[in-house]
Each structure stands twice: as structure tokens, then as C-alpha cells.
Amino acid sequence: MPRWLPRAMVLALALVACFQLAIWGFHQLVGLLLNVLIAFFLALAVEPAVDWMAARGMRRGLATGLVFLAILVGAVGFFALLGSMVAGQIATMVEEFPQYLDSVISWTNSTFHTHLSRVQVQNNLLNSDWLQKYVQDSANNVLAVSAQVLGGLFNLLTVALFSFYFAADGPRLRRALCSVLPPRRQAEVLRAWEIAVAKTGGYLYSRGLMALISGVAHYVLLEILGVPYAPALGIWVGLISQFVPTIGTYLAGALPILIAFTVDPWYALWVFGFVVVYQQFENYLLQPRITARTVDIHPAVAFGSVIAGTALMGAVGALIAIPATATLQAFLGAYVKRYEVTAEPRGRFRVRRRRGEPEEAEACEPGPVAGDGREAARGGERESAREPGVGVTRGAADGAPDGGPAEGRSGGTGGVRTDGA
């Protein structure tokens, strides 16, 4: 056995063990990394307001605390108002449930010629196996639901804490990150940071605009139908459908449908149909256009980025996909070299096929054919021979004295001429 083989085997096993350990650690920290990512984009969203207050003499920590306090007060007040409204409507539904049941039974009997009664329906419903099984499963899952609620609160506090530090210590964080990079890389990092702030702000602006349009549209419908609490329900639909990814649309539409059902079951059907139609209008017409204007990305790219983000990271990916894609596109745009496109490139050429020869493109307009530069060089020589001083090349025009030798006049650089300079 060669002397180096045992050490090579030990090194290979150590590398495999380190790789497996890194994969295990990454899977264990996926939740924390997602929370940090959400906190980073939230800090980018509130950083303009923090910078505005800090520029007027307020400490960044105090400014960040005031911004987060305003967000917290607004969220708590909104959900408290909706909670009281929902509780009142649920109590009304429970009180009037026998009347709803009688109307449904009478409609069923008159339409399908049945002989149902409310007592029979109630007994069948209360003694059904699926209801008893559902109640038993719900009682057994109380501990699991409580654990999920506590876990959600812990994740919310984690995101709030990280976002507070990212926003309050934004300049210090940027200096610490740039201190380990060369000056050229520092400029790139700072530019990417500014682009991320601008694109995240544009994304939130687009979401706020779509929430306003959605809220107004649903408010008009609910007001026409006479559904109570129409302004609050319009605000609920606008905010939840835009700022809660994936399931926000269903949560936003369920509450107006439920409250419309307390007024008239047919109203609930009308609201359901309007929610479905408006959602299609928003997904395919409104959202791509507004996102393309505010975040400056193509509607197809925005739609594809949301799908890709959902597939990769679920609801979190759907929420941050558009600002992340816009930031990456704007940052990489500075490193992509672009050229001017000639006017109507397809209309200037036609394909000519000769008998026994392959296809070739021929210019429809007369002019010099782009070749290897030899004809242009010969033409430059003949022109310069007829008119002395005219055949000055680019190099001579850039810095050679008048009357000096024109470089490249007979060389292989192409004989570029100016307009008599």
C-alpha cells in the first residue's frame, strides 16, 4: 500500500463528514435564516422613514422605535376593530341560525319535493359520526395548536428584533461589511444596498396601491348590497389580500362572504362571484402593470418570480420574490454590455438564393458591404491620394499634428476616415 493512501482516505472521509455536518446544520437553521431574510427586507422597507427622521436630528434607535410603534399600534387597532365586528356577526348568526335553517329547508322541500324538518336535520347533524370525530380530533390537537401559536409568536418576535437592529444600525452594519472589502467592492455593495432599499420601497408602494384599489372595489359592492361594516370589510380585503401571501386572498374573501350570508344567502353568492372575478382581473391585468411601473420589471418576470419564490420558500418566497428579483436585475444591469440596435434589422435585408448556391443575405439599399476591411482600406488610399490631407485616420484626428503621417493608411486596421478634419 502506498504511504500516501491512508492519509488520502482519512482526508476524504473527513471532507464527507464536514459536508454532511454542514447540510445538517443548514437544515436545522432554515427557520432562522428565513426569519433573518424577512427581517432584512422589513428593515429595508422602514429605512427611508428612519433616515428621514435621523436627518432631522433624531437618534436612529429612537426613530426606529417610533416607526415600529406606529406599525404595531395600527395593526393592533385594526385587528381589534375587526375582531369585535366578527364576534358581533358570529353572535348574530348563532341567534338567527334557526331562521336560516328553516328558510333553507322550506326552499329544499319546495324545489325537490322533499319532506324535511328542522328537528330531523338537527338530530342527524348532532348525531353524525363525522361531527363527533371532528370534535374528538380537535380536543386531541389542542396542545399541537397551542404549540404552533406559540411558535408563530416567537418567530414574529424574532423578525421584529432582527429588523429593528438592521434598521437602527444600518450605517454601522454597512461600514462593518465594507471594512473587509477592497474599495471597488465597497462601492458595489453600497450600490446594491441602495438599489434594494429603492426596489423594496417601490414594491410596498405597489402593494399599497393595489390594496387601495381592491378595498374601494369591494367597499362599493358591499355598500350596494347593503352589507353592514362595508368600510371595515373593504379595508380588510385590501390589506389581507395584498400583504398576506398565498392564502391572503382566501382569508380576505371569507369574511365578507360570511357577513353577507347573515344578510341574505344570495348576497353571499354575489360576493363570492365578485371576489373570484376581481382576483383574476388583479392577477392578470392590474398587478403585472402596476408592478412593472413601480418596481421596473417586466410583468412576465414578476409573475414568474412569484411562482419561483413560492416553489422555493413557500409564503416567504412569494412575499419577497418581486423586490429580490428587481434588486438583482437592477444590480446586474450595470455589468451587462448593451449595443445599439440598427433600425428595422429584418427589413433591410432580403434572402437571395441562386441556383446551386447556398442562401445569402443581400442589402436592399446600395452601400458598402461589410467585409474584411480591405476594400475600405483601398478606397481610403485612393481618396487620400486625390485629396491630400483628407485621408486622416482616427489616430491622426485624435492627436497627430496637421500634415503628419496618417497611421494605418495602408495598414490592416481598416483605414477609418473622418469628414475632412
Side-chain angles (χ1 to χ4, degrees):
M1 179 183 297
R3 186 174 299 177
W4 54 267
L5 184 58
R7 287 183 292 178
M9 294 176 62
V10 171
L11 181 61
L13 292 176
L15 291 176
V16 171
C18 292
F19 181 72
Q20 295 292 334
L21 181 62
I23 292 178
W24 174 81
F26 176 77
H27 284 293
Q28 295 297 322
L29 297 176
V30 164
L32 178 62
L33 295 177
L34 289 178
N35 291 335
V36 171
L37 186 62
I38 297 173
F40 177 72
F41 277 95
L42 181 59
L44 292 179
V46 303
E47 189 168 353
V50 176
D51 292 337
W52 182 81
M53 287 188 285
R56 283 156 178 77
M58 187 178 298
R59 296 178 55 185
R60 290 190 65 89
L62 179 60
T64 307
L66 290 178
V67 172
F68 275 86
L69 181 62
I71 295 174
L72 179 63
V73 169
V76 170
F78 176 71
F79 284 105
L81 176 63
L82 287 177
S84 61
M85 180 187 65
V86 172
Q89 292 299 317
I90 290 177
T92 303
M93 288 184 62
V94 171
E95 292 177 359
E96 299 179 355
F97 180 76
Q99 299 178 5
Y100 296 145
L101 187 59
D102 289 339
S103 62
V104 171
I105 291 174
S106 62
W107 178 82
T108 304
N109 292 332
S110 61
T111 304
F112 300 101
H113 304 287
T114 57
H115 302 282
L116 299 177
S117 63
R118 187 175 69 183
V119 177
Q120 180 183 359
V121 173
Q122 289 178 351
N123 292 332
N124 292 334
L125 181 64
L126 294 176
N127 296 326
S128 60
D129 295 336
W130 68 269
L131 181 61
Q132 295 178 1
K133 183 178 180 181
Y134 176 77
V135 172
Q136 184 178 0
D137 293 340
S138 300
N140 295 332
N141 294 331
V142 170
L143 184 60
V145 172
S146 302
Q148 291 180 358
V149 171
L150 292 178
L153 292 176
F154 179 76
N155 291 333
L156 183 62
L157 292 176
T158 303
V159 170
L161 183 62
F162 275 107
S163 59
F164 177 84
Y165 284 127
F166 285 155
D169 294 338
R172 187 184 306 174
L173 179 62
R174 287 191 287 269
R175 285 196 299 268
L177 182 61
C178 293
S179 63
V180 297
L181 299 174
R184 182 180 177 183
R185 299 300 179 187
Q186 292 178 10
E188 294 178 357
V189 170
L190 293 177
R191 180 174 176 273
W193 198 291
E194 295 298 329
I195 291 175
V197 172
K199 296 302 179 180
T200 306
Y203 172 72
L204 291 179
Y205 170 77
S206 64
R207 285 292 175 178
L209 183 59
M210 287 189 293
L212 177 62
I213 297 174
S214 177
V216 170
H218 288 83
Y219 162 74
V220 170
L221 174 69
L222 297 174
E223 191 69 26
I224 292 175
L225 295 178
V227 178
Y229 305 103
L233 289 176
I235 297 175
W236 163 266
V237 173
L239 293 179
I240 299 301
S241 63
Q242 300 302 324
F243 292 99
V244 177
T246 308
I247 62 173
T249 303
Y250 309 104
L251 291 178
L255 184 59
I257 293 172
L258 182 64
I259 296 180
F261 185 81
T262 62
V263 180
D264 191 337
W266 289 106
Y267 287 176
L269 185 61
W270 278 100
V271 174
F272 174 76
F274 182 81
V275 168
V276 172
V277 172
Y278 181 83
Q279 187 63 35
Q280 303 306 314
F281 166 75
E282 181 183 280
N283 289 339
Y284 294 102
L285 293 178
L286 186 62
Q287 179 177 351
R289 296 179 182 273
I290 293 180
T291 303
R293 291 180 178 272
T294 55
V295 193
D296 195 17
I297 60 176
H298 194 272
V301 177
F303 184 71
S305 63
V306 171
I307 295 177
T310 305
L312 291 176
M313 293 184 292
V316 178
L319 184 63
I320 66 176
I322 293 180
T325 303
T327 302
L328 184 62
Q329 175 182 335
F331 181 71
L332 295 180
Y335 300 96
V336 177
K337 188 175 182 180
R338 300 181 181 273
Y339 301 92
E340 183 179 358
V341 181
T342 58
E344 299 181 0
R346 295 182 60 185
R348 292 177 59 88
F349 294 92
R350 60 183 176 87
V351 178
R352 183 181 65 181
R353 174 178 293 182
R354 296 178 181 177
R355 182 175 299 177
E357 293 182 2
E359 294 183 357
E360 62 178 3
E362 181 183 13
C364 297
E365 299 178 1
V369 180
D372 56 357
R374 288 178 293 180
E375 293 295 334
R378 292 172 186 171
E381 292 177 1
R382 290 194 296 267
E383 189 69 22
S384 61
R386 287 195 300 267
E387 299 180 8
V390 177
V392 182
T393 62
R394 187 181 302 273
D398 290 342
D402 296 339
E407 297 179 2
R409 183 172 297 175
S410 60
T413 59
V416 181
R417 297 187 298 108
T418 63
D419 297 334

